[in-house]
Amino acid sequence: MAQFVKSLIGVSNKAANLARAIRSEHALFELLVQEKTGDAKNKRFVQDFKTLGDVLIQEMVKHDLSAKFPEMKDHIFGEESNEFTNKLGESITVAVQSTVTDTSKLLSRVLDGNDEAAEILAKVLHQDVEEPQDETLSKLSLEVDINSLAIWIDPIDSTAEYIKGISDSKPDDGIYTVGLQCATVLIGAYDRQSGKAVIGVVNQPFLHLDASTSKWTGRCIWGVACNGVRANSYTASGNEAQSQSDSFTAVLSPSEKDHIKSTISSISHGRYQYGSGAGYKALCVCDKVANVYVLSRGTTFKWDSCAPHAILNSMGGSMLDLQKARQVSEEEDVSCAEIVYNKPDHAKWEPGQQWSNSGGVIAYWNKTSLSTFMKAFTTQTQK
């Protein structure tokens, strides 16, 4: 299992390298942006974007993991279609080829003959990354049948922030409202039978900007919650700040409904802050700079939540379907409201909504935070 988790971390680091490489070339980035249309458009946004970077990362993850774990080949799923249309109207299936040269040739077709850009991207896609050195991970003793797992990928979550490229955003008590810091690479593994999130890797490619070199560095957070084993990359000394505070912080989307905001405000020392991207907002809960992440609408998807869900599971928290959680009494086990990943929420769905978390989301890192919010939410709903 440790080797499998290391492989997930490795491909997330390669994905982060690619995300940074694309952003570092402004002309290249402008060339790569396409608007999502039709069924692929997220109904919450007036404009949503698909980038070639998304597709390349998704296909790279599939390629690299399938090479190491062939049994995973048909069980790696993502948000993006790998059909990309260049400016000539030519539709091309994007996939990582067996060599740098072959991948470069394919990408040159996508990029309207821009051989230089294609070669840069191909080299990043085929580069080797160092194996992560993590003492906790190296000591992880857990045997899991890889054949029992499947994977959800979100190549670049918070695409809008990634495209806007705000680099000078400042955090409010550790939470970024906007900015490149909100862009994340999400890779989550779930049990095919139960649908439970069991392994999560969240990579934040744009964490620190070196003013002297204008280069970004990031970080990678992982968590495992499987067969009674819980482990993650956090250390006790670095992840306990929020647990010592009397305040109750919820991270929300700016478009969140007023009754959710009123619920937070009704809690003693309660306050809410805005963040961008489902993965980033869930990461704020993992980091314990927020007690909960709440979303009342069904506008997130399985690929958004699987990775941070597994990390929260490893901490003793979880991610629940908000509508289902409302129906669970305080005496009942909330696990019945957990988001699952092996099937759609409903037998019938609107176009583009098959894998949505249709009942909304509440993410928390401990049960006290969940209880505090749900009590206030119930009271507020009854008014």
Side-chain angles (χ1 to χ4, degrees):
M1 173 56 73
Q3 192 55 50
F4 182 66
V5 178
K6 285 182 179 180
S7 295
L8 296 184
I9 294 170
V11 293
S12 83
N13 284 333
K14 188 186 283 192
N17 289 343
L18 184 61
R20 287 188 289 261
I22 293 171
R23 273 238 53 103
S24 66
E25 297 289 340
H26 181 71
L28 174 61
F29 186 70
E30 287 290 308
L31 182 65
L32 296 177
V33 177
Q34 282 191 322
E35 184 180 356
K36 284 182 180 172
T37 58
D39 288 353
K41 181 180 284 291
N42 184 332
K43 63 183 180 181
R44 184 170 142 219
F45 297 99
V46 176
Q47 274 194 318
D48 195 5
F49 295 95
K50 178 174 69 178
T51 66
L52 179 58
D54 280 324
V55 178
L56 288 176
I57 288 171
Q58 181 172 289
E59 295 307 308
M60 178 274 293
V61 172
K62 289 182 179 179
H63 174 271
D64 286 16
L65 289 180
S66 297
K68 288 186 178 181
F69 307 97
E71 60 269 46
M72 294 296 298
K73 184 177 181 181
D74 296 324
H75 300 281
I76 302 174
F77 310 110
E79 174 183 9
E80 304 294 350
S81 164
N82 64 342
E83 296 295 324
F84 199 90
T85 304
N86 63 15
K87 290 188 175 181
L88 298 176
E90 183 183 12
S91 183
I92 302 162
T93 300
V94 176
V96 178
Q97 305 298 301
S98 57
T99 66
V100 174
T101 299
D102 288 344
T103 300
S104 180
K105 287 179 179 177
L106 184 145
L107 293 179
S108 182
R109 290 173 58 208
V110 176
L111 298 171
D112 305 309
N114 189 333
D115 293 335
E116 181 182 3
E119 185 176 351
I120 292 170
L121 291 170
K123 284 181 178 178
V124 177
L125 287 168
H126 285 271
Q127 74 179 0
D128 293 325
V129 293
E130 292 184 7
E131 186 172 280
Q133 301 300 313
D134 188 308
E135 188 176 346
T136 302
L137 182 55
S138 298
K139 292 179 179 178
L140 184 64
S141 179
L142 176 65
E143 292 299 323
V144 176
D145 181 8
I146 301 298
N147 286 299
S148 69
L149 303 179
I151 289 174
W152 278 114
I153 309 165
D154 190 345
I156 303 176
D157 188 50
S158 195
T159 310
E161 294 305 316
Y162 178 63
I163 290 170
K164 285 188 289 187
I166 299 170
S167 60
D168 58 354
S169 180
K170 302 296 182 185
D172 181 5
D173 287 337
I175 297 175
Y176 288 89
T177 302
V178 296
L180 278 167
Q181 290 87 350
C182 299
T184 54
V185 177
L186 309 172
I187 305 175
Y190 64 91
D191 184 278
R192 294 182 206 170
Q193 189 69 30
S194 68
K196 290 185 177 294
V198 294
I199 304 169
V201 173
V202 176
N203 201 304
Q204 195 177 11
F206 304 97
L207 184 60
H208 297 295
L209 178 62
D210 188 320
S212 61
T213 64
S214 296
K215 289 185 177 181
W216 286 93
T217 55
R219 63 167 177 160
C220 185
I221 303 298
W222 63 267
V224 174
C226 187
N227 295 343
V229 174
R230 297 180 187 271
N232 55 59
S233 54
Y234 289 109
T235 61
S237 61
N239 198 221
E240 291 298 317
Q242 176 67 25
S243 62
Q244 303 301 318
S245 173
D246 291 331
S247 66
F248 186 95
T249 302
V251 60
L252 309 174
S253 299
S255 60
E256 187 51 76
K257 295 178 180 178
D258 287 341
H259 78 272
I260 296 294
K261 297 175 184 178
S262 298
T263 296
I264 304 302
S265 298
S266 72
I267 296 170
S268 177
H269 303 290
R271 61 175 187 155
Y272 54 85
Q273 292 179 235
Y274 297 133
S276 297
Y280 174 71
K281 289 193 283 287
L283 181 61
C284 288
V285 182
C286 296
D287 285 341
K288 298 185 180 177
V289 293
N291 294 79
V292 295
Y293 158 42
V294 184
L295 180 68
S296 60
R297 298 179 175 91
T299 50
T300 65
F301 294 82
K302 305 302 182 188
W303 51 76
D304 293 315
S305 56
C306 189
H309 188 167
I311 295 171
L312 289 166
N313 281 345
S314 78
M315 300 167 66
S318 191
M319 292 185 76
L320 308 181
D321 178 304
L322 182 60
Q323 288 186 14
K324 290 180 180 178
R326 287 179 61 184
Q327 300 166 15
V328 178
S329 70
E330 195 171 344
E331 293 75 26
E332 290 180 288
D333 185 355
V334 294
S335 63
C336 64
E338 268 200 89
I339 296 170
V340 294
Y341 297 92
N342 59 344
K343 59 184 179 181
D345 290 351
H346 303 288
K348 295 182 180 180
W349 53 82
E350 296 178 18
Q353 301 301 304
Q354 178 179 1
W355 295 105
S356 70
N357 295 317
S358 60
V361 169
I362 176 165
Y364 59 96
W365 61 266
N366 71 6
K367 290 183 179 178
T368 301
S369 294
L370 173 66
S371 177
T372 298
F373 174 80
M374 293 309 300
K375 286 179 180 177
F377 189 42
T378 300
T379 301
Q380 198 72 19
T381 303
Q382 292 172 345
K383 287 183 177 180

